[in-house]
């Protein structure tokens, strides 16, 4: 790889608040103080332990298997606690906290979230399209089949391997009928809808491969039949599910602080979300007033028009990042955006994000910082063996979603939309929708809202009526946030914390945007609280949240 500049990482500090001498992460060996190799070794063993045992191609989520995992987890915690991090550079201490957070994630699942017992959608195995975060938003079952990774036509070996994996869906769903003992009404009903989608996905795949690969099509149809049978069982059991699905405020806070390393409580996040919701609406009103004599933005009318606008937006955006000295533009960045083919659906009203994208493709390109992250992980792997792989339990969410969301407003303020004042309105509309759906998710977990009430709230507070009450987007978002506490707020809370860090970084008057962005991204896709510690030497947020070294 060719690197245009050396990316600064702060590898040690003498005391809190004092910055260390920057070195290049790419040219210097990752520090390995005494005991760090033991952490890396433990991490490798831990990753094997946290995954379920696989029996005959089926992950084992039975009560006895999980009880055994719960019995052994304290041994891994004890081994981690025995590692002496005294005098370790900050970057190594951060790696320690990442391992600890993952162990806390498993602990939280075993004690509280228990998706294998409460959430039928946990058993979804087939995902046709690529996600913009790794491994995927929300809980994902071990061994999930990412169909998009199987480019057709398949070789004989790849076809046989995929067929074997598809056939394992039937026994998995048989196991699920025994495991699913929970009484969470909204999770159960949403799981029915999600499993119906898996059936549709399997049918589409079977039809696609039938002409050239009858055996693989038969495996897909077997999996579809098992999914349909599972849906019938879920529907039969649904009337008996009567309890709310939220985890409660205290559990939500514990998960925020001990797993996601986000330095807030449930109540504090409610306050932050309301503040951002009202700020977005007020800012939108002011933008609309300022632009009252300008014509409204017209959405693209055809697929060709949209595709042309999207490609022009990518070219313009990449030029802006370079010429405005926002960040170091690497060779892999523009191809990462170009590879994300936009979709255009002329039938019916567009869903929320298409309402924005059809009018101004630049804004969603800023959000696609996600694809920069994924390309960077492949092309420029992090030097830390612990940060090099995606974090489990969605621990990455405040950084991944916070940065993607933050780039929308930050690039607007940096001048990207100066030539199109009406486009600025869309940024505030996006923020309002993110804050509204986050509040819906927060109230869901506090059992103040039902799923239907959370969806209605998000629709009510999304400007211009662009969020369809009956559409799949609002349902899918609230279902995800119910499945994965902390995810729904991560877009806005992560943005807030990145803005806070940006403010801290530049308070001495020597601020350089490119230096900040390069150092920020070089830290990896890890919680913003840990990036703040690495970039400033201040660990007060970590000390408030955790009791470990």
């Amino acid at each position: 790889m060719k690197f245009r500049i050396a990316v600064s990482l702060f590898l040690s500090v003498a005391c809190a608040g004092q910055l260390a001498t920057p070195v290049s992460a790419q040219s210097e060996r990752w520090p390995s103080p005494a005991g760090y190799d033991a952490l890396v070794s433990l991490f490798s063993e831990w990753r094997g332990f946290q995954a379920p045992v696989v029996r005959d191609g089926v992950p084992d989520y039975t009560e006895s298997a999980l009880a055994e995992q719960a019995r052994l987890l304290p041994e891994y915690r004890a081994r981690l606690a025995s590692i002496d991090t005294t005098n370790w550079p900050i970057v190594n201490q951060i790696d320690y906290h990442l391992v600890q957070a993952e162990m806390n994630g498993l602990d939280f699942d075993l004690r509280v979230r228990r998706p294998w017992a409460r959430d039928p959608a946990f058993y979804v195995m087939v995902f046709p399209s690529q996600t913009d975060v790794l491994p995927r938003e929300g809980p994902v079952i071990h061994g999930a089949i990412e169909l998009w990774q199987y480019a057709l036509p398949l070789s004989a070996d790849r076809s046989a391997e995929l067929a074997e994996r598809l056939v394992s869906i039937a026994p998995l769903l048989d196991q699920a009928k025994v495991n699913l003992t929970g009484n969470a009404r909204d999770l159960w009903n949403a799981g029915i809808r999600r499993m119906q989608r898996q059936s549709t996905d399997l049918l589409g795949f079977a039809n696609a491969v039938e002409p050239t690969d009858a055996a693989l099509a038969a495996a897909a149809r077997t999996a579809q039949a098992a999914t349909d049978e599972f849906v019938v069982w879920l529907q039969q059991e649904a009337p008996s599910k009567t309890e709310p699905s939220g985890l409660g405020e205290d559990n939500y806070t514990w998960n925020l602080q001990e797993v996601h390393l986000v330095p807030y409580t449930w109540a504090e996040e409610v306050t932050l979300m309301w503040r951002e919701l009202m700020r977005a609406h007020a800012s939108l009103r002011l933008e609309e007033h300022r632009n009252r004599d300008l014509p409204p933005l017209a959405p693209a009318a055809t697929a060709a028009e949209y595709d042309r606008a999207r490609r022009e937006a990518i070219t313009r955006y990449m030029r802006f990042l370079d010429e405005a000295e926002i960040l170091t533009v690497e060779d892999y960045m523009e191809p990462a955006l170009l590879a994300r083919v936009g979709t255009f659906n002329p039938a019916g009203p567009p869903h929320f994000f298409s309402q924005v994208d059809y009018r101004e493709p630049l804004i969603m390109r800023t959000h696609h910082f996600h694809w920069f992250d994924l390309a960077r992980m492949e092309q420029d792997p992090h030097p830390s063996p612990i940060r090099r792989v995606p974090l489990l339990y969605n621990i990455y969410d405040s950084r991944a979603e916070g940065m993607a969301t933050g780039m929308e407003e930050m690039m607007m303020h940096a001048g990207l939309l100066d030539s199109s004042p009406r486009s600025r309105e869309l940024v505030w509309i996006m923020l309002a929708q993110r804050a509204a759906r986050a509040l819906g998710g927060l109230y869901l977990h506090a059992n103040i809202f039902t799923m239907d009430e959370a969806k209605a709230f998000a629709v009510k507070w999304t400007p211009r009526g662009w969020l369809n009450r009956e559409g799949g987007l609002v349902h899918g978002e609230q279902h995800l946030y119910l499945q994965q506490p902390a995810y729904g707020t991560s877009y806005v809370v992560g943005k807030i914390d990145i803005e806070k860090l940006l403010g801290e970084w530049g308070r001495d008057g020597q601020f350089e945007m490119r230096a900040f962005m390069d150092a920020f991204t070089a830290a990896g896709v890890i919680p913003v609280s840990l990036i703040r510690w690495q970039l400033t030497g201040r660990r007060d947020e970590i000390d408030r949240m955790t009791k470990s070294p």
Side-chain angles (χ1 to χ4, degrees), residues 64 66 90 200 267 272 282-283 300-301 304 361-362 410 413 516:
S64 58
L66 295 169
I90 284 178
T200 300
L272 289 171
S283 298
L362 267 176
M410 287 192 292
H413 292 315
F516 170 79

Side-chain angles (χ1 to χ4, degrees), residues 285-327:
R285 307 289 187 276
L286 294 170
E287 294 282 359
E288 289 173 333
H289 177 75
R290 186 180 71 170
N291 300 331
R292 63 191 181 279
D293 295 329
L294 298 177
L297 290 174
T302 65
E305 181 183 346
Y306 168 69
D307 183 64
R308 181 173 61 255
R310 181 185 66 87
R311 291 177 179 276
E312 290 174 354
I314 292 172
T315 300
R316 179 180 169 191
Y317 179 48
M318 298 307 301
R319 185 186 305 119
F320 175 81
L321 291 176
D322 186 36
E323 293 179 355
E325 300 180 352
I326 302 297
L327 50 75

Side-chain angles (χ1 to χ4, degrees), residues 19 502-516:
L19 296 181
L502 192 154
E504 288 184 277
W505 178 278
R507 73 188 188 282
D508 61 0
Q510 301 301 312
F511 178 74
E512 292 183 4
M513 185 67 178
R514 179 179 287 168
F516 170 79

Side-chain angles (χ1 to χ4, degrees), residues 210-233:
E210 183 93 62
T212 58
D213 197 331
L216 183 57
R221 295 190 191 283
T222 297
Q224 183 200 4
T227 302
D228 290 341
E229 181 184 347
F230 186 57
V231 167
V232 171
W233 180 82

